[in-house]
PDB file of all heavy atoms in Angstrom:
ATOM      1  N   VAL A   1       0.829  -1.170  -0.038  1.00  0.00           N
ATOM      2  CA  VAL A   1      -0.028   0.017  -0.018  1.00  0.00           C
ATOM      3  C   VAL A   1       0.843   1.243  -0.026  1.00  0.00           C
ATOM      4  O   VAL A   1       0.659   2.176  -0.794  1.00  0.00           O
ATOM      5  CB  VAL A   1      -0.950   0.009   1.188  1.00  0.00           C
ATOM      6  CG1 VAL A   1      -1.738   1.243   1.242  1.00  0.00           C
ATOM      7  CG2 VAL A   1      -1.893  -1.175   1.154  1.00  0.00           C
ATOM      8  N   THR A   2       1.795   1.265   0.896  1.00  0.00           N
ATOM      9  CA  THR A   2       2.713   2.503   0.931  1.00  0.00           C
ATOM     10  C   THR A   2       3.569   2.694  -0.324  1.00  0.00           C
ATOM     11  O   THR A   2       3.751   3.765  -0.794  1.00  0.00           O
ATOM     12  CB  THR A   2       3.595   2.464   2.170  1.00  0.00           C
ATOM     13  OG1 THR A   2       4.372   1.285   2.114  1.00  0.00           O
ATOM     14  CG2 THR A   2       2.838   2.511   3.427  1.00  0.00           C
ATOM     15  N   GLY A   3       3.947   1.557  -0.920  1.00  0.00           N
ATOM     16  CA  GLY A   3       4.725   1.678  -2.126  1.00  0.00           C
ATOM     17  C   GLY A   3       3.796   2.202  -3.271  1.00  0.00           C
ATOM     18  O   GLY A   3       4.265   2.939  -4.136  1.00  0.00           O
ATOM     19  N   ALA A   4       2.624   1.723  -3.316  1.00  0.00           N
ATOM     20  CA  ALA A   4       1.651   2.225  -4.358  1.00  0.00           C
ATOM     21  C   ALA A   4       1.389   3.775  -4.163  1.00  0.00           C
ATOM     22  O   ALA A   4       1.400   4.480  -5.130  1.00  0.00           O
ATOM     23  CB  ALA A   4       0.325   1.425  -4.256  1.00  0.00           C
ATOM     24  N   LEU A   5       1.290   4.157  -2.909  1.00  0.00           N
ATOM     25  CA  LEU A   5       1.080   5.605  -2.675  1.00  0.00           C
ATOM     26  C   LEU A   5       2.285   6.422  -3.138  1.00  0.00           C
ATOM     27  O   LEU A   5       2.127   7.408  -3.845  1.00  0.00           O
ATOM     28  CB  LEU A   5       0.770   5.836  -1.148  1.00  0.00           C
ATOM     29  CG  LEU A   5       0.572   7.300  -0.698  1.00  0.00           C
ATOM     30  CD1 LEU A   5      -0.711   7.834  -1.310  1.00  0.00           C
ATOM     31  CD2 LEU A   5       0.570   7.411   0.782  1.00  0.00           C
ATOM     32  N   LYS A   6       3.469   6.025  -2.755  1.00  0.00           N
ATOM     33  CA  LYS A   6       4.645   6.682  -3.152  1.00  0.00           C
ATOM     34  C   LYS A   6       4.798   6.615  -4.690  1.00  0.00           C
ATOM     35  O   LYS A   6       5.110   7.695  -5.340  1.00  0.00           O
ATOM     36  CB  LYS A   6       5.863   6.085  -2.511  1.00  0.00           C
ATOM     37  CG  LYS A   6       7.131   6.919  -2.769  1.00  0.00           C
ATOM     38  CD  LYS A   6       8.297   6.293  -1.974  1.00  0.00           C
ATOM     39  CE  LYS A   6       9.576   6.822  -2.463  1.00  0.00           C
ATOM     40  NZ  LYS A   6      10.652   6.152  -2.013  1.00  0.00           N
ATOM     41  N   LEU A   7       4.518   5.534  -5.352  1.00  0.00           N
ATOM     42  CA  LEU A   7       4.621   5.397  -6.778  1.00  0.00           C
ATOM     43  C   LEU A   7       3.637   6.327  -7.486  1.00  0.00           C
ATOM     44  O   LEU A   7       4.018   6.953  -8.461  1.00  0.00           O
ATOM     45  CB  LEU A   7       4.385   3.963  -7.217  1.00  0.00           C
ATOM     46  CG  LEU A   7       4.423   3.686  -8.698  1.00  0.00           C
ATOM     47  CD1 LEU A   7       5.908   3.950  -9.238  1.00  0.00           C
ATOM     48  CD2 LEU A   7       4.041   2.227  -8.963  1.00  0.00           C
ATOM     49  N   PHE A   8       2.415   6.430  -6.970  1.00  0.00           N
ATOM     50  CA  PHE A   8       1.431   7.320  -7.492  1.00  0.00           C
ATOM     51  C   PHE A   8       2.021   8.756  -7.595  1.00  0.00           C
ATOM     52  O   PHE A   8       1.907   9.440  -8.551  1.00  0.00           O
ATOM     53  CB  PHE A   8       0.128   7.303  -6.701  1.00  0.00           C
ATOM     54  CG  PHE A   8      -0.808   8.366  -7.029  1.00  0.00           C
ATOM     55  CD1 PHE A   8      -1.663   8.301  -8.180  1.00  0.00           C
ATOM     56  CD2 PHE A   8      -0.918   9.579  -6.242  1.00  0.00           C
ATOM     57  CE1 PHE A   8      -2.573   9.321  -8.573  1.00  0.00           C
ATOM     58  CE2 PHE A   8      -1.789  10.619  -6.658  1.00  0.00           C
ATOM     59  CZ  PHE A   8      -2.575  10.427  -7.780  1.00  0.00           C
ATOM     60  N   PHE A   9       2.487   9.207  -6.453  1.00  0.00           N
ATOM     61  CA  PHE A   9       3.047  10.575  -6.448  1.00  0.00           C
ATOM     62  C   PHE A   9       4.330  10.707  -7.346  1.00  0.00           C
ATOM     63  O   PHE A   9       4.461  11.849  -7.942  1.00  0.00           O
ATOM     64  CB  PHE A   9       3.305  11.081  -5.019  1.00  0.00           C
ATOM     65  CG  PHE A   9       2.007  11.427  -4.288  1.00  0.00           C
ATOM     66  CD1 PHE A   9       1.484  10.587  -3.359  1.00  0.00           C
ATOM     67  CD2 PHE A   9       1.370  12.597  -4.564  1.00  0.00           C
ATOM     68  CE1 PHE A   9       0.375  10.901  -2.698  1.00  0.00           C
ATOM     69  CE2 PHE A   9       0.231  12.954  -3.955  1.00  0.00           C
ATOM     70  CZ  PHE A   9      -0.368  12.076  -3.025  1.00  0.00           C
ATOM     71  N   ARG A  10       5.124   9.732  -7.383  1.00  0.00           N
ATOM     72  CA  ARG A  10       6.336   9.740  -8.180  1.00  0.00           C
ATOM     73  C   ARG A  10       6.074   9.826  -9.618  1.00  0.00           C
ATOM     74  O   ARG A  10       6.711  10.401 -10.491  1.00  0.00           O
ATOM     75  CB  ARG A  10       7.282   8.692  -7.858  1.00  0.00           C
ATOM     76  CG  ARG A  10       8.559   8.764  -8.549  1.00  0.00           C
ATOM     77  CD  ARG A  10       9.675   7.748  -8.133  1.00  0.00           C
ATOM     78  NE  ARG A  10       9.122   6.376  -8.081  1.00  0.00           N
ATOM     79  CZ  ARG A  10       9.178   5.630  -6.984  1.00  0.00           C
ATOM     80  NH1 ARG A  10       9.703   6.054  -5.864  1.00  0.00           N
ATOM     81  NH2 ARG A  10       8.672   4.399  -7.023  1.00  0.00           N
ATOM     82  N   GLU A  11       4.954   9.088 -10.051  1.00  0.00           N
ATOM     83  CA  GLU A  11       4.594   9.046 -11.537  1.00  0.00           C
ATOM     84  C   GLU A  11       3.752  10.131 -11.938  1.00  0.00           C
ATOM     85  O   GLU A  11       3.464  10.204 -13.218  1.00  0.00           O
ATOM     86  CB  GLU A  11       3.855   7.678 -11.769  1.00  0.00           C
ATOM     87  CG  GLU A  11       4.758   6.504 -11.481  1.00  0.00           C
ATOM     88  CD  GLU A  11       5.866   6.360 -12.415  1.00  0.00           C
ATOM     89  OE1 GLU A  11       5.723   6.635 -13.611  1.00  0.00           O
ATOM     90  OE2 GLU A  11       7.002   5.967 -12.007  1.00  0.00           O
ATOM     91  N   LEU A  12       3.330  11.113 -11.149  1.00  0.00           N
ATOM     92  CA  LEU A  12       2.604  12.303 -11.571  1.00  0.00           C
ATOM     93  C   LEU A  12       3.473  13.036 -12.632  1.00  0.00           C
ATOM     94  O   LEU A  12       4.617  13.156 -12.452  1.00  0.00           O
ATOM     95  CB  LEU A  12       2.166  13.130 -10.428  1.00  0.00           C
ATOM     96  CG  LEU A  12       1.124  12.663  -9.515  1.00  0.00           C
ATOM     97  CD1 LEU A  12       1.022  13.600  -8.264  1.00  0.00           C
ATOM     98  CD2 LEU A  12      -0.209  12.465 -10.201  1.00  0.00           C
ATOM     99  N   PRO A  13       2.822  13.610 -13.668  1.00  0.00           N
ATOM    100  CA  PRO A  13       3.567  14.364 -14.698  1.00  0.00           C
ATOM    101  C   PRO A  13       4.236  15.600 -14.020  1.00  0.00           C
ATOM    102  O   PRO A  13       5.350  15.922 -14.461  1.00  0.00           O
ATOM    103  CB  PRO A  13       2.526  14.819 -15.643  1.00  0.00           C
ATOM    104  CG  PRO A  13       1.288  14.059 -15.388  1.00  0.00           C
ATOM    105  CD  PRO A  13       1.410  13.454 -14.028  1.00  0.00           C
ATOM    106  N   GLU A  14       3.597  16.153 -13.017  1.00  0.00           N
ATOM    107  CA  GLU A  14       4.198  17.245 -12.275  1.00  0.00           C
ATOM    108  C   GLU A  14       4.031  16.815 -10.783  1.00  0.00           C
ATOM    109  O   GLU A  14       2.974  16.367 -10.435  1.00  0.00           O
ATOM    110  CB  GLU A  14       3.522  18.589 -12.583  1.00  0.00           C
ATOM    111  CG  GLU A  14       4.137  19.761 -11.863  1.00  0.00           C
ATOM    112  CD  GLU A  14       3.737  21.058 -12.472  1.00  0.00           C
ATOM    113  OE1 GLU A  14       2.506  21.287 -12.640  1.00  0.00           O
ATOM    114  OE2 GLU A  14       4.615  21.915 -12.714  1.00  0.00           O
ATOM    115  N   PRO A  15       5.093  17.045  -9.999  1.00  0.00           N
ATOM    116  CA  PRO A  15       4.910  16.679  -8.585  1.00  0.00           C
ATOM    117  C   PRO A  15       3.886  17.441  -7.773  1.00  0.00           C
ATOM    118  O   PRO A  15       3.333  18.499  -8.315  1.00  0.00           O
ATOM    119  CB  PRO A  15       6.277  16.915  -7.925  1.00  0.00           C
ATOM    120  CG  PRO A  15       7.039  17.795  -8.974  1.00  0.00           C
ATOM    121  CD  PRO A  15       6.369  17.671 -10.359  1.00  0.00           C
ATOM    122  N   LEU A  16       3.603  16.978  -6.626  1.00  0.00           N
ATOM    123  CA  LEU A  16       2.629  17.641  -5.784  1.00  0.00           C
ATOM    124  C   LEU A  16       3.002  19.148  -5.604  1.00  0.00           C
ATOM    125  O   LEU A  16       2.166  20.071  -5.599  1.00  0.00           O
ATOM    126  CB  LEU A  16       2.469  16.948  -4.395  1.00  0.00           C
ATOM    127  CG  LEU A  16       1.373  17.439  -3.509  1.00  0.00           C
ATOM    128  CD1 LEU A  16      -0.045  17.289  -4.162  1.00  0.00           C
ATOM    129  CD2 LEU A  16       1.409  16.764  -2.177  1.00  0.00           C
ATOM    130  N   VAL A  17       4.320  19.446  -5.364  1.00  0.00           N
ATOM    131  CA  VAL A  17       4.791  20.751  -5.327  1.00  0.00           C
ATOM    132  C   VAL A  17       5.199  21.113  -6.831  1.00  0.00           C
ATOM    133  O   VAL A  17       6.205  20.479  -7.248  1.00  0.00           O
ATOM    134  CB  VAL A  17       5.991  20.951  -4.369  1.00  0.00           C
ATOM    135  CG1 VAL A  17       6.581  22.422  -4.614  1.00  0.00           C
ATOM    136  CG2 VAL A  17       5.484  20.823  -2.945  1.00  0.00           C
ATOM    137  N   PRO A  18       4.461  21.845  -7.526  1.00  0.00           N
ATOM    138  CA  PRO A  18       4.803  22.068  -9.011  1.00  0.00           C
ATOM    139  C   PRO A  18       6.195  22.579  -9.213  1.00  0.00           C
ATOM    140  O   PRO A  18       6.838  23.200  -8.367  1.00  0.00           O
ATOM    141  CB  PRO A  18       3.770  23.175  -9.409  1.00  0.00           C
ATOM    142  CG  PRO A  18       2.610  23.016  -8.372  1.00  0.00           C
ATOM    143  CD  PRO A  18       3.325  22.690  -7.020  1.00  0.00           C
ATOM    144  N   PHE A  19       6.703  22.210 -10.345  1.00  0.00           N
ATOM    145  CA  PHE A  19       8.098  22.542 -10.712  1.00  0.00           C
ATOM    146  C   PHE A  19       8.336  24.026 -10.508  1.00  0.00           C
ATOM    147  O   PHE A  19       9.408  24.429 -10.003  1.00  0.00           O
ATOM    148  CB  PHE A  19       8.401  22.209 -12.201  1.00  0.00           C
ATOM    149  CG  PHE A  19       8.459  20.780 -12.418  1.00  0.00           C
ATOM    150  CD1 PHE A  19       7.675  20.185 -13.412  1.00  0.00           C
ATOM    151  CD2 PHE A  19       9.184  19.806 -11.611  1.00  0.00           C
ATOM    152  CE1 PHE A  19       7.672  18.833 -13.744  1.00  0.00           C
ATOM    153  CE2 PHE A  19       9.164  18.464 -11.935  1.00  0.00           C
ATOM    154  CZ  PHE A  19       8.387  17.961 -12.933  1.00  0.00           C
ATOM    155  N   GLY A  20       7.341  24.864 -10.828  1.00  0.00           N
ATOM    156  CA  GLY A  20       7.585  26.359 -10.731  1.00  0.00           C
ATOM    157  C   GLY A  20       7.734  26.792  -9.288  1.00  0.00           C
ATOM    158  O   GLY A  20       8.069  27.946  -8.979  1.00  0.00           O
ATOM    159  N   HIS A  21       7.314  26.011  -8.329  1.00  0.00           N
ATOM    160  CA  HIS A  21       7.401  26.302  -6.926  1.00  0.00           C
ATOM    161  C   HIS A  21       8.654  25.797  -6.264  1.00  0.00           C
ATOM    162  O   HIS A  21       8.948  26.126  -5.121  1.00  0.00           O
ATOM    163  CB  HIS A  21       6.186  25.875  -6.146  1.00  0.00           C
ATOM    164  CG  HIS A  21       4.951  26.627  -6.403  1.00  0.00           C
ATOM    165  ND1 HIS A  21       4.259  26.641  -7.595  1.00  0.00           N
ATOM    166  CD2 HIS A  21       4.280  27.445  -5.510  1.00  0.00           C
ATOM    167  CE1 HIS A  21       3.210  27.450  -7.484  1.00  0.00           C
ATOM    168  NE2 HIS A  21       3.242  27.954  -6.242  1.00  0.00           N
ATOM    169  N   PHE A  22       9.325  24.859  -6.946  1.00  0.00           N
ATOM    170  CA  PHE A  22      10.578  24.135  -6.240  1.00  0.00           C
ATOM    171  C   PHE A  22      11.576  25.147  -5.652  1.00  0.00           C
ATOM    172  O   PHE A  22      11.843  25.031  -4.547  1.00  0.00           O
ATOM    173  CB  PHE A  22      11.115  23.230  -7.301  1.00  0.00           C
ATOM    174  CG  PHE A  22      12.315  22.467  -6.752  1.00  0.00           C
ATOM    175  CD1 PHE A  22      12.171  21.373  -6.047  1.00  0.00           C
ATOM    176  CD2 PHE A  22      13.670  22.948  -7.054  1.00  0.00           C
ATOM    177  CE1 PHE A  22      13.288  20.701  -5.406  1.00  0.00           C
ATOM    178  CE2 PHE A  22      14.806  22.319  -6.427  1.00  0.00           C
ATOM    179  CZ  PHE A  22      14.593  21.149  -5.666  1.00  0.00           C
ATOM    180  N   ASP A  23      12.037  26.033  -6.565  1.00  0.00           N
ATOM    181  CA  ASP A  23      13.139  26.936  -6.058  1.00  0.00           C
ATOM    182  C   ASP A  23      12.641  27.853  -4.977  1.00  0.00           C
ATOM    183  O   ASP A  23      13.374  28.150  -4.055  1.00  0.00           O
ATOM    184  CB  ASP A  23      13.612  27.824  -7.207  1.00  0.00           C
ATOM    185  CG  ASP A  23      14.455  26.934  -8.251  1.00  0.00           C
ATOM    186  OD1 ASP A  23      15.071  26.014  -7.845  1.00  0.00           O
ATOM    187  OD2 ASP A  23      14.490  27.387  -9.456  1.00  0.00           O
ATOM    188  N   LYS A  24      11.337  28.240  -4.961  1.00  0.00           N
ATOM    189  CA  LYS A  24      10.745  29.040  -3.966  1.00  0.00           C
ATOM    190  C   LYS A  24      10.727  28.357  -2.595  1.00  0.00           C
ATOM    191  O   LYS A  24      11.089  28.888  -1.573  1.00  0.00           O
ATOM    192  CB  LYS A  24       9.387  29.486  -4.352  1.00  0.00           C
ATOM    193  CG  LYS A  24       9.293  30.372  -5.535  1.00  0.00           C
ATOM    194  CD  LYS A  24       7.866  30.596  -5.954  1.00  0.00           C
ATOM    195  CE  LYS A  24       7.822  31.338  -7.303  1.00  0.00           C
ATOM    196  NZ  LYS A  24       6.461  31.453  -7.870  1.00  0.00           N
TER     197      LYS A  24
END
């Protein structure tokens, strides 16, 4: 279950924190 949750977030086209927010 935890592996599936982590995989879901890792496979998103853009992470939960969008790329444009990373440096901020």
Side-chain angles (χ1 to χ4, degrees):
V1 176
T2 57
L5 179 66
K6 188 176 165 196
L7 180 64
F8 169 79
F9 283 105
R10 186 174 45 237
E11 295 295 320
L12 289 173
E14 185 165 48
L16 188 60
V17 173
F19 294 127
H21 284 71
F22 178 81
D23 289 332
K24 297 172 189 172

